[in-house]
Amino acid sequence: MTADLTVRGAAPAPARALQPDEDRPRRSWRASWPQYLAIAPFYVLFLVFGLFPILFSVYLSFTDWNGIGEITFVGLAQYQYLVADPRFWNAVANTFIIWIISTVPMLFIALVLAFLLHQNIRFKSIYRVAFFLPNVTSMVAMAIVFGSVFSDSFGLANSALTALGMNELAWLSDPWGIKITIAMMVIWRWTGYNAIIYLAGLQSIPTELYESARVDGANNWQIFSRITVPLLRPVILFTVITSTIGGLSLFTEPQVLLGDAGGANEAGMTIVLYQYNQAFTQFDFGYGSAIAWALFIIAAVFAIINWRLLRDRDGMPSKRSRGATEGSTR
């Protein structure tokens, strides 16, 4: 009797919860083969034309190969030669000079143009198309135009300087003239592209901020410097990163304008143009691969620097600052 009451008064055993995968039939990989087959072309193409060339270039950077004969493993000899190669460091210096004198004015002009296009003006769509048009123009046509404008003997630039009573400049034979000409090509081509990016960022800023500033008596410069620039800092850093990568990999402009030699005294020889000459003109694919990976390291260093700037300025403290904060609270 007591045992029976004990059994009847006992709480019923809880029902076993079903696992997430038990309430539906298991599907084997064979049932999903159409999905895998649909995405397979991308991975096959990436493996053949992306991953394999990258890994093969790493291997080639430790070898000596002319593209036809036997591949000879030389260890770090290519990198040791690269460190002591004055032509490589001349290409690095040219690349950084062109990048500085082109990126800084280009981004500033693009930001000003985006700010003006964001105002209530007529024919804004026509201006946007006009500013973006140089980015889709053929580089060969651009080189022909700029070669004619900045020609040493009959260029329009020297004609304008002469009309203003100034001396002519050797744009395509002087080292600094070559760098300035290439920088102007970069500015002309990419200013509209960055202006469109800035304009997209401006459209995300609430218009109430501009209206309140104008009610308080702020002029256009105060609105631009105290509202637009601070709120566009993430977009500005994005364009700085992309412009840095594009500036370090500059190739088309100097190659089409000046040829493979890079102009007089190799004043227009950039890192990628020098790598192209070594690999596809001198057929030294081992040294060309070493130059390519040196460029990758340089670009990675600048990307990390820009990323840290983005993290610190957007209110995301670094490990060092978090450690100092925790130590002070303790």
Side-chain angles (χ1 to χ4, degrees), residues 45-312:
L45 293 175
F46 173 75
L47 178 65
V48 175
F49 298 103
L51 184 60
F52 173 74
I54 293 174
L55 298 178
F56 189 58
S57 66
V58 176
Y59 170 72
L60 282 182
S61 65
F62 298 99
T63 64
D64 183 15
W65 187 46
N66 61 359
I68 300 177
E70 183 180 357
I71 301 177
T72 305
F73 184 79
V74 296
L76 296 175
Q78 300 287 10
Y79 292 97
Q80 293 173 352
Y81 180 77
L82 181 142
V83 173
D85 185 8
R87 296 183 62 195
F88 170 75
W89 292 111
N90 175 64
V92 172
N94 293 336
T95 303
F96 275 94
I97 292 174
I98 296 172
W99 169 63
I100 292 173
I101 64 178
S102 63
T103 301
V104 175
M106 174 185 67
L107 295 182
F108 179 76
I109 296 173
L111 186 58
V112 173
L113 290 177
F115 179 75
L116 295 176
L117 289 176
H118 192 57
Q119 308 299 316
N120 293 324
I121 60 175
R122 301 176 60 186
F123 310 113
K124 288 195 296 185
S125 300
I126 297 177
Y127 290 132
R128 294 175 185 178
V129 173
F131 290 140
F132 190 76
L133 188 61
N135 187 255
V136 297
T137 304
S138 172
M139 181 55 62
V140 177
M142 286 178 53
I144 295 174
V145 172
F146 274 82
S148 300
V149 171
F150 294 97
S151 177
D152 295 344
S153 56
F154 54 86
L156 296 178
N158 281 333
S159 299
L161 293 177
T162 304
L164 295 175
M166 304 172 63
N167 296 328
E168 296 183 354
L169 298 177
W171 296 101
L172 299 181
S173 57
D174 181 75
W176 276 102
I178 291 174
K179 293 179 177 62
I180 293 174
T181 303
I182 297 175
M184 295 185 69
M185 290 182 65
V186 175
I187 293 172
W188 186 80
R189 183 182 184 188
W190 294 104
T191 298
Y193 172 83
N194 289 283
I196 297 300
I197 295 178
Y198 288 147
L199 184 60
L202 285 173
Q203 292 175 349
S204 64
I205 299 176
T207 57
E208 292 79 4
L209 296 177
Y210 293 105
E211 294 175 356
S212 300
R214 295 189 184 280
V215 170
D216 293 336
N219 54 34
N220 289 333
W221 173 251
Q222 292 174 336
I223 294 175
F224 175 76
S225 60
R226 298 182 182 182
I227 297 179
T228 302
V229 174
L231 293 179
L232 279 183
R233 185 181 292 118
V235 181
I236 293 173
L237 290 176
F238 168 77
T239 56
V240 169
I241 293 175
T242 55
S243 299
T244 299
I245 297 174
L248 293 178
S249 58
L250 189 64
F251 169 75
T252 308
E253 287 83 353
Q255 198 275 337
V256 176
L257 182 65
L258 304 170
D260 296 342
N265 299 323
E266 296 187 346
M269 181 70 69
T270 60
I271 300 176
V272 179
L273 183 58
Y274 184 56
Q275 184 259 341
Y276 170 82
N277 287 335
Q278 295 299 315
F280 300 102
T281 303
Q282 304 297 326
F283 299 103
D284 191 351
F285 290 95
Y287 189 50
S289 299
I291 297 173
W293 281 101
L295 174 61
F296 170 77
I297 294 174
I298 295 173
V301 169
F302 275 85
I304 293 173
I305 294 174
N306 285 286
W307 174 73
R308 290 186 65 88
L309 289 174
L310 176 62
R311 183 181 64 178
D312 295 340

